[in-house]
Amino acid sequence: MKEGIVITTSWRFLKGSMYATLPILGVEDPRTFYKKAGAIYRRELAALPEYGEGDVLKLNLAHAVMLGAIYEACDPKPDVDTLTRFYHEFLTHSAIVRKLMGRRDMLAPSEVQRQVDIGKRSQRATHPFTWQFSVNVEDEDHFTATFTRCGIYDYLKSRGMAHIVPAMCAIDYDMGEISNHLFLRDHTLATGGAVCDCHYVRKSAATQQEWAKSQDDRRAEALRGGRAVEQLFGRRAMDLAFGDIQETALVTLAIRASETARPNPRIVDETAEIIAALGVDVSKYDPFLSHEGVVARTIMFADTIRGLVAQHPDALCINLGCGFDDKFSQVDNGKIEWFDVDLPDQIAVRRKVYEDRPRCTMMDGDALDGTWTAALPRDRSANIVVMEGVLEYFTKEQTATCLHMLCDCFEHGYLVAEMNSMFMVKHSKQHDAIKNTNATFKWGTKSGAEFVELEPRLALLSEHSYNEEMRKHTLRGRLFAATFGKNINNRIAVFSW
């Protein structure tokens, strides 16, 4: 089968993502592995017959060939759980890929009609590894594509790799989380179903039941595919009540859920389902400036942590005061050891949502008392402590106690912290989101240098205002960053000791 420009470019375009995510598969030399897998990929493509007029989704088949080549090149072979996580990170690692995925509107009338037309054309399929399906449009917010043939399954089955197909099936749910639709599916050909029934629901029109069903379907499909659901997704079926969640955590959750549901989200956060599970109106926690600030800090924290992890690939990472945050899934390189630490009552609630995962463990701990640190491993090249949305609720004295604790309990390390301004402290009750809670900001700074004054063992490495990210996205964000918010917005600072 001729590769064509799109298929050839896809392999080369994803080179960077492959290099970054191959450690998940235990690959120590990505460059050599890439060449080995590339040779297999080209060999397999060359052996395939050409597509005919009725054959469809050629690029999807190329991706099946790609994953098959990667799997063949692995020695030893990864289990399906590991391969699923790799494929997710591989396809979503690139910001450009995520943006392209996010822009695709599966419920746009032109896209729905395109799917209908492709389905009709697929009925004339002749290729051994192609798709046949039909589309039923229920209304402008719902349509279903029912597949009676799947080229991915047929191809990988022909190579004796049918057991890895569920690793590719899972990406359909990932696409939905990035874009504007929910994805639901009761059956797949790869797990013994008579059909693959793919249901697309516009997020803005989805009911609470549809949100919940999307997650239930994903978990059920994982079980049918032989995957360890809790280890793969790290989340439980939720038994949450509104009172379980602190109001300050609701602000972050509401904003991340709102952003995730947008047609072109800048961040995608799977904890958005917590808001759906609560079934309450949280719009008051999602005003414009707080929304832009939380999105900016989410992006900046993830980028900063990834940078440190790139320097220290086997680091010990601690999300101190983690709440419901799941940074591990955003920055994992397959080697770090991660601990989500919070007060016992908060960890108890977190366990209603998450399970411990390989290299990601929940732990009771107090930011003002380092007793819990005795249980941590001490054989890592670096210690990275993350405190997002925590220190602004500490007094100056509590902040000093926390910093002393970190420097006393860890011989060396990095602290990635959110810095609050004194202006925000003086105007907590005017803050557009915090005014709707019982929380108040306790202490702020003009510069991270004030942390060094509290704990001289620290060195300030960098400090950046959230304005740097906010100004990239909206006119209002640019105006805020250039005028009123120029010197009062929160910052992200990195310290070492």
Side-chain angles (χ1 to χ4, degrees):
M1 185 173 74
K2 295 179 182 178
E3 293 187 31
I5 186 65
V6 174
I7 293 176
T8 301
T9 303
S10 294
W11 177 264
R12 294 175 182 171
F13 180 74
L14 291 168
K15 180 179 180 180
S17 293
M18 192 179 298
Y19 275 32
T21 54
L22 280 174
I24 294 172
L25 299 178
V27 174
E28 296 182 355
D29 184 357
R31 185 181 299 274
T32 300
F33 185 95
Y34 177 80
K35 292 180 179 178
K36 179 181 178 182
I40 298 170
Y41 176 68
R42 289 187 292 275
R43 179 199 76 199
E44 287 296 309
L45 282 177
L48 292 174
E50 290 299 325
Y51 254 35
E53 181 183 349
D55 300 317
V56 298
L57 306 180
K58 186 176 183 180
L59 185 59
N60 290 23
L61 177 58
H63 276 270
V65 176
M66 189 182 297
L67 187 64
I70 292 169
Y71 184 74
E72 180 179 335
C74 286
D75 185 18
K77 298 289 185 280
D79 59 31
V80 181
D81 286 6
T82 302
L83 197 64
T84 303
R85 190 160 60 83
F86 160 77
Y87 194 62
H88 165 83
E89 296 294 336
F90 171 54
L91 285 188
T92 61
H93 176 81
S94 166
I96 296 176
V97 171
R98 291 198 305 273
K99 196 166 188 177
L100 290 172
M101 287 171 153
R103 282 181 174 175
R104 188 178 185 189
D105 183 357
M106 289 295 292
L107 277 300
S110 59
E111 178 63 25
V112 174
Q113 186 57 52
R114 192 175 80 89
Q115 295 298 322
V116 170
D117 294 342
I118 293 173
K120 290 178 179 178
R121 182 157 59 92
S122 74
Q123 303 309 311
R124 306 191 302 274
T126 58
H127 198 276
F129 309 126
T130 188
W131 284 256
Q132 286 185 317
F133 67 100
S134 59
V135 174
N136 178 46
V137 182
E138 290 93 54
D139 55 48
E140 63 181 7
D141 297 316
H142 301 76
F143 80 87
T144 299
T146 303
F147 291 78
T148 54
R149 287 184 62 190
C150 172
I152 292 172
Y153 176 59
D154 291 338
Y155 168 74
L156 290 173
K157 182 179 179 182
S158 75
R159 297 204 61 207
M161 299 178 182
H163 62 290
I164 74 170
V165 176
M168 293 194 72
C169 295
I171 205 67
D172 292 325
Y173 295 93
D174 298 327
M175 297 284 194
E177 288 172 354
I178 291 173
S179 66
N180 73 329
H181 67 270
L182 286 181
F183 183 81
L184 300 87
R185 181 164 55 204
D186 293 312
H187 310 285
T188 63
L189 293 163
T191 56
V195 297
C196 294
D197 56 325
C198 302
H199 307 275
Y200 298 85
V201 181
R202 192 183 304 279
K203 284 179 179 175
S204 60
T207 64
Q208 297 293 333
Q209 291 77 16
E210 287 170 329
W211 278 94
K213 188 177 187 307
S214 178
Q215 295 302 321
D216 290 344
D217 287 354
R218 183 171 191 168
R219 296 165 66 86
E221 189 172 302
L223 283 172
R224 293 196 303 272
R227 286 171 285 159
V229 181
E230 306 301 357
Q231 289 188 359
L232 182 60
F233 303 114
R235 300 192 303 280
R236 292 177 181 269
M238 283 177 283
D239 180 22
L240 282 175
F242 185 75
D244 285 336
I245 302 178
Q246 292 181 342
E247 286 185 301
T248 51
L250 272 175
V251 172
T252 302
L253 286 171
I255 290 170
R256 288 176 175 168
S258 171
E259 182 67 25
T260 297
R262 293 186 176 188
N264 299 302
R266 291 162 289 177
I267 60 171
V268 176
D269 192 328
E270 294 182 0
T271 56
E273 67 190 74
I274 295 173
I275 295 297
L278 292 174
V280 296
D281 180 12
V282 292
S283 58
K284 68 179 180 179
Y285 301 117
D286 187 24
F288 175 78
L289 285 177
S290 282
H291 184 106
E292 293 302 298
V294 168
V295 170
R297 89 178 189 192
T298 302
I299 293 170
M300 294 175 77
F301 264 82
D303 288 346
T304 300
I305 298 166
R306 289 190 193 107
L308 290 172
V309 167
Q311 298 174 43
H312 306 282
D314 66 338
L316 172 70
C317 301
I318 301 159
N319 192 358
L320 185 53
C322 59
F324 287 98
D325 194 27
D326 183 24
K327 282 190 170 42
F328 174 74
S329 64
Q330 300 172 28
V331 304
D332 181 33
N333 66 345
K335 295 182 178 180
I336 57 174
E337 187 77 16
W338 190 278
F339 288 85
D340 287 308
V341 180
D342 212 324
L343 296 171
D345 59 334
Q346 291 306 303
I347 290 295
V349 176
R350 183 181 174 90
R351 289 189 183 279
K352 293 185 177 184
V353 179
Y354 293 96
E355 288 274 8
D356 287 336
R357 289 162 278 177
R359 297 179 295 99
C360 183
T361 306
M362 286 175 279
M363 176 183 287
D364 294 347
D366 188 337
L368 304 179
D369 180 350
T371 306
W372 54 275
T373 64
L376 297 174
R378 300 287 174 173
D379 59 346
R380 296 289 172 146
S381 63
N383 304 300
I384 302 172
V385 180
V386 180
M387 298 188 75
E388 177 187 351
V390 178
L391 292 171
E392 53 263 53
Y393 302 105
F394 282 12
T395 65
K396 181 177 181 179
E397 292 71 26
Q398 288 173 322
T399 301
T401 298
C402 177
L403 299 178
H404 297 331
M405 180 275 289
L406 293 176
C407 291
D408 289 342
C409 293
F410 300 98
E411 183 178 353
H412 53 80
Y414 297 93
L415 170 64
V416 184
E418 180 171 15
M419 312 294 290
N420 197 30
S421 74
M422 282 305 298
F423 180 90
M424 292 295 188
V425 175
K426 294 176 182 177
H427 298 86
S428 286
K429 289 307 177 184
Q430 285 76 50
H431 187 281
D432 61 352
I434 297 302
K435 68 181 181 183
N436 296 309
T437 74
N438 293 319
T440 57
F441 298 133
K442 300 293 180 60
W443 185 57
T445 62
K446 291 183 179 180
S447 164
E450 294 177 57
F451 272 34
V452 179
E453 292 175 5
L454 293 180
E455 173 48 82
R457 284 174 287 184
L458 293 179
L460 177 61
L461 300 183
S462 64
E463 186 171 12
H464 297 279
S465 170
Y466 294 163
N467 289 333
E468 295 179 24
E469 186 67 31
M470 286 175 64
R471 65 166 59 102
K472 296 178 183 178
H473 303 290
T474 67
L475 176 59
R476 289 173 68 185
R478 287 195 292 275
L479 290 173
F480 176 78
T483 56
F484 179 72
K486 186 175 182 180
N487 298 313
I488 68 171
N489 207 349
N490 282 15
R491 296 100 62 202
I492 178 174
V494 180
F495 302 87
S496 67
W497 71 92

